Amino acid sequence: MKHHVKDGALAPQGKLRIEWAERQMPVLTLIKERFTAERPLEGKNIGACLHVTTETANLMRTLKAGGANVALCASNPLSTQDDVAASLVADYGIPTFAIKGEDNDTYYSHIDSVLDTHPTVTMDDGADLISTLHSKRTDQASEVLGGTEETTTGVIRLRSMAEQGVLLFPVVAVNDANTKHLFDNRYGTGQSTIDGILRATNILLAGTRFVVSGYGWCGRGVAGKARGMGANVIVIEVDPLRALEAVMDGYEVMTAVEAAHVADVWVTVTGDLHAIGAEVFQYMKDGVILANSGHFDVEIDIPALEKTAAERKEVREFVEEFTLEDGRRIHVLAAGRLVNLSAAEGHPASVMDMSFANQALAAEHIFKQDTKMKKQVYPVPPDIDKEIARLKLASMDITIDSLSDEQRKYLSSWEMGT
Ligand code: ADE
């Protein structure tokens, strides 16, 4: 079996951690049990480009239990957990191509290794697998029934491909399922971003001025958790509706230049270029900490910072210090890559349980549809989304009420008023 991981000897530790995560993934475990009995993915090739974590390992095991031949590479050069990659190969027989800290060439050679397995379904987090297939290996597109996409940034890329008429097969936007973005993006990114910042720096958040750029679901999550730790949270947002929401949620809202004067910690979650751009470094306080939790490492303009800095050095694992000419120090965490997956372990298993339940069921859905889907971006079918919420509640031993016939009738009528 082909593979490329850092060190096979790390497998026993990886296996223990994968099993630990599985205990927090009851919905995925139920799906795995059904897949084991029904084998709905028998003989199908699935190529996955996801963060190689304990949670992803459990998704890979689920797909394999369903009969699929899966191959996995990393969706970010810094997010791989090397012990997990080793265990996937040694303990679960899953071809895995991922090494934490791999350079760009290795990253793309690993994507090529997955594409060499000729997937019929692709599974992406950020759309690098699909975009490589669409740019360098278009001859393989006709072999693909469909793909799935895990994250907001990937869905945006795929929608733009669909709009430009260049998308060569259908894709299911897992990110857009309610049981994905309302929980993973908000509670997952919220908690794991704080976790990454704290593991990298060991600072006290209470009393800091903590800036969040972007008030989408991830930004809302990060802001909420930082406030929960006692930080004074400032939100930067370009969309007036979201900015207004941040104001009414009780945050200070200001421009990036205004925030630069006061920020102690600054996190970007915008999904866009240069949320912290060249124009703001000059206003920053000595000692400020900058981190990114958006998908790509483009949100902090590190090349511009490097240009203005007199010195650049690593002062702690995952902490680089840039010293400006006047002596002020600006700290960038995890080279501006996803801080939650680089300096910590990503979202906790309990929330990835729902995200990856969506992935597993979306893959099954694509195979069931066979060639019926068009070259479009599709939502996860709402019945799958609801069922995942129902199963998650059941796993938490929570029962909810249901509507009476009278109430249901009222909701579908219009005659009754005052
Ligand atoms: N994205 C964010 N957190 C993750 C995790 N723990 N595993 C896989 N993908 C993730």
Side-chain angles (χ1 to χ4, degrees):
M1 185 184 74
K2 288 193 178 155
H3 63 273
H4 191 202
V5 299
K6 184 174 181 201
D7 180 4
L10 298 172
Q13 180 197 319
K15 183 161 191 283
L16 279 174
R17 292 181 58 246
I18 292 167
E19 288 167 358
W20 172 258
E22 187 182 23
R23 295 184 210 175
Q24 303 289 325
M25 303 184 86
V27 179
L28 194 64
T29 303
L30 276 179
I31 294 169
K32 183 161 108 207
E33 284 162 11
R34 177 172 69 76
F35 276 13
T36 305
E38 295 176 6
R39 307 276 292 177
L41 313 175
E42 192 67 61
K44 313 286 192 194
N45 292 349
I46 299 181
C49 178
L50 301 170
H51 300 296
V52 179
T53 64
T54 52
E55 293 75 25
T56 298
N58 284 309
L59 171 61
M60 296 299 107
R61 292 172 66 200
T62 302
L63 300 172
K64 191 167 175 178
N69 309 309
V70 282
L72 173 67
C73 63
S75 59
N76 183 295
L78 262 193
S79 60
T80 297
Q81 297 171 4
D82 288 315
D83 57 344
V84 169
S87 175
L88 278 166
V89 173
D91 301 310
Y92 301 110
I94 293 175
T96 302
F97 307 87
I99 296 175
K100 187 171 177 112
E102 61 198 15
D103 62 22
N104 234 37
D105 288 346
T106 313
Y107 177 78
Y108 279 101
S109 79
H110 286 163
I111 288 184
D112 274 327
S113 299
V114 166
L115 290 175
D116 289 344
T117 66
H118 292 269
T120 351
V121 160
T122 61
M123 215 168 249
D124 256 299
D125 186 332
D128 280 348
L129 188 68
I130 283 192
S131 90
T132 304
L133 197 151
H134 278 70
S135 49
K136 290 197 300 184
R137 302 181 61 149
T138 36
D139 51 313
Q140 274 183 245
S142 58
E143 299 168 3
V144 182
L145 271 181
T148 66
E149 172 51 54
E150 171 78 7
T151 200
T152 318
T153 296
V155 171
I156 290 170
R157 289 175 90 185
L158 292 161
R159 287 232 160 83
S160 101
M161 289 168 79
E163 270 156 29
Q164 288 171 27
V166 295
L167 187 65
L168 295 173
F169 48 79
V171 180
V172 177
V174 165
N175 178 71
D176 295 357
N178 289 317
T179 47
K180 199 281 183 182
H181 69 274
L182 293 179
F183 301 91
D184 168 314
N185 300 25
R186 183 165 33 165
Y187 305 111
T189 307
Q191 180 169 319
S192 62
T193 299
I194 302 295
D195 188 14
I197 293 168
L198 297 187
R199 288 199 208 191
T201 62
N202 197 28
I203 57 162
L204 181 74
L205 284 187
T208 58
R209 301 203 83 185
F210 189 106
V211 180
V212 180
S213 287
Y215 204 64
W217 290 111
C218 294
R220 291 176 179 110
V222 175
K225 298 298 165 202
R227 174 154 70 186
M229 303 277 291
N232 299 302
V233 177
I234 295 163
V235 170
I236 298 172
E237 176 53 69
V238 293
D239 178 283
L241 266 180
R242 285 182 174 180
L244 192 57
E245 186 184 351
V247 171
M248 300 229 177
D249 283 345
Y251 301 113
E252 266 191 270
V253 172
M254 54 179 82
T255 66
V257 167
E258 286 168 334
H261 289 86
V262 294
D264 296 306
V265 183
W266 190 337
V267 180
T268 55
V269 263
T270 66
D272 208 349
L273 270 183
H274 302 169
I276 301 181
E279 69 288 359
V280 296
F281 296 121
Q282 57 184 309
Y283 304 117
M284 288 181 173
K285 293 196 307 192
D286 179 37
V288 63
I289 290 167
L290 312 182
N292 167 53
S293 243
H295 187 79
F296 288 117
D297 59 344
V298 295
E299 303 207 17
I300 305 172
D301 189 352
I302 296 177
L305 177 58
E306 163 119 64
K307 258 192 222 152
T308 46
E311 195 192 352
R312 174 179 184 167
K313 65 172 188 234
E314 183 168 322
V315 290
R316 234 178 110 94
E317 197 183 10
F318 302 118
V319 185
E320 268 193 293
E321 184 173 272
F322 294 77
T323 308
L324 305 187
E325 295 290 354
D326 63 4
R328 276 176 301 140
R329 292 157 299 179
I330 294 177
H331 301 112
V332 177
L333 306 190
R337 294 200 184 274
L338 284 159
V339 72
N340 58 340
L341 281 140
S342 305
E345 294 169 68
H347 305 353
S350 171
V351 85
M352 293 311 294
D353 187 27
M354 290 189 280
S355 311
F356 285 167
N358 275 292
Q359 285 283 8
L361 298 182
E364 181 186 33
H365 173 74
I366 292 169
F367 285 121
K368 271 195 198 149
Q369 294 295 303
D370 199 25
T371 53
K372 285 204 269 283
M373 295 166 83
K374 301 202 176 76
K375 295 169 185 173
Q376 286 171 5
V377 178
Y378 285 87
V380 170
D383 52 331
I384 291 183
D385 204 357
K386 270 253 165 71
E387 178 65 3
I388 290 171
R390 203 185 58 75
L391 291 174
K392 190 68 178 176
L393 281 170
S395 79
M396 298 162 113
D397 251 342
I398 294 169
T399 316
I400 58 171
D401 289 329
S402 48
L403 296 174
S404 66
D405 287 345
E406 193 187 17
Q407 286 173 317
R408 197 167 295 112
K409 193 166 159 220
Y410 179 83
L411 288 178
S412 61
S413 67
W414 56 270
E415 294 93 340
M416 230 185 290
T418 309

